[in-house]
Amino acid sequence: MATLRLGDVVPDFEAVTTEGPIKFHEWLGDSWGILFSHPKNFTPVCTTELGQASHLKPEFDARGVKLLGLSVDAIDNHPAWVGDIKDATGATLNFPLIADSDRKVSDLYDLIHPNANDTLTVRSVFIIGPDKKLKLSLTYPASTGRNFAEILRVVDSLQLTAKHSVATPVDWKNGDDVIIVPSLSDDAAKEKFPGGWTTVKPYLRVVRQPGA
């Protein structure tokens, strides 16, 4: 499988999950989606991540984002792990978890990195837009848990910049000032941002976040 690059339409697939079979593109519908992989069931870091993702699901729901986890273990192993997740984190798994025991999805999304581990998936995140195109990907080693506050922050940036002619600066958080994209002329910017902006450099024009 060739490397999945930003802007590519992500591969479609059928899979068995904890909430029944799905066809990925059909399941996504017109929503944003996040597919994130886990090396295997009953691993400590994954348990904490799935618990945190479940705690934060209302935040993702508010942004129109569907969550989908993946593990290479068989579906009959998932229920016991779901129980462990609740015991350990206080969260009930509230989104589907793929059982990718045949590694079909893992192969499609290049989740097996042999130089890291030739049997377990790496800890990847794919953020997918309503157009089914890849908007962001992150890959962590199995030993490093993901930061779901950062994933939410990135979703906010992706959704904002998809609608407006802006980019988000370093350490930006929802509600902070943003940057007018360089491709927008000052004349065009006056129409989009009639309240004005601060010019730090000709290519760095800071403006209040639209809608904030």
Side-chain angles (χ1 to χ4, degrees):
M1 172 66 190
T3 301
L4 193 57
R5 296 177 176 175
L6 300 186
D8 289 351
V9 174
V10 299
D12 196 11
F13 57 82
E14 296 183 20
V16 175
T17 81
T18 50
E19 296 185 8
I22 65 165
K23 296 180 179 179
F24 185 47
H25 283 193
E26 181 181 291
W27 176 82
L28 274 177
D30 295 326
S31 298
W32 289 72
I34 295 178
L35 171 65
F36 59 113
S37 59
H38 299 272
K40 63 181 297 185
N41 290 7
F42 304 107
T43 52
V45 176
C46 300
T47 299
T48 63
E49 288 185 326
L50 287 167
Q52 179 67 350
S54 296
H55 280 304
L56 289 174
K57 186 172 181 291
E59 295 288 344
F60 288 105
D61 288 344
R63 292 161 172 79
V65 179
K66 293 182 175 181
L67 297 176
L68 181 62
L70 176 147
S71 175
V72 295
D73 280 318
I75 191 68
D76 55 0
N77 284 333
H78 280 11
W81 190 29
V82 169
D84 281 2
I85 292 165
K86 184 172 184 179
D87 288 344
T89 69
T92 299
L93 187 71
N94 49 14
F95 54 87
L97 181 63
I98 294 171
D100 191 39
S101 56
D102 61 2
R103 301 187 194 171
K104 181 177 67 176
V105 181
S106 297
D107 288 341
L108 279 176
Y109 282 77
D110 194 26
L111 299 177
I112 305 288
H113 293 195
N115 289 330
N117 190 303
D118 61 3
T119 58
L120 304 181
T121 59
V122 290
R123 206 177 291 284
S124 289
V125 180
F126 301 96
I127 301 182
I128 301 148
D131 56 2
K132 311 297 186 295
K133 292 182 179 180
L134 182 64
K135 305 302 181 183
L136 178 137
S137 63
L138 297 166
T139 298
Y140 294 69
S143 56
T144 301
R146 286 161 282 206
N147 184 329
F148 279 83
E150 167 63 5
I151 293 170
L152 273 172
R153 187 191 76 88
V154 168
V155 167
D156 285 337
S157 174
L158 290 169
Q159 293 185 339
L160 177 72
T161 57
K163 293 178 182 177
H164 303 280
S165 301
V166 297
T168 56
V170 62
D171 294 336
W172 173 88
K173 299 183 297 297
N174 194 18
D176 289 351
D177 289 347
V178 295
I179 296 168
I180 300 171
V181 294
S183 59
L184 198 68
S185 69
D186 282 348
D187 287 342
K190 287 175 185 176
E191 295 183 13
K192 288 182 177 289
F193 308 103
W197 59 84
T198 300
T199 300
V200 181
K201 294 287 182 182
Y203 56 84
L204 179 52
R205 296 166 294 174
V206 178
V207 69
R208 184 176 180 181
Q209 177 182 318

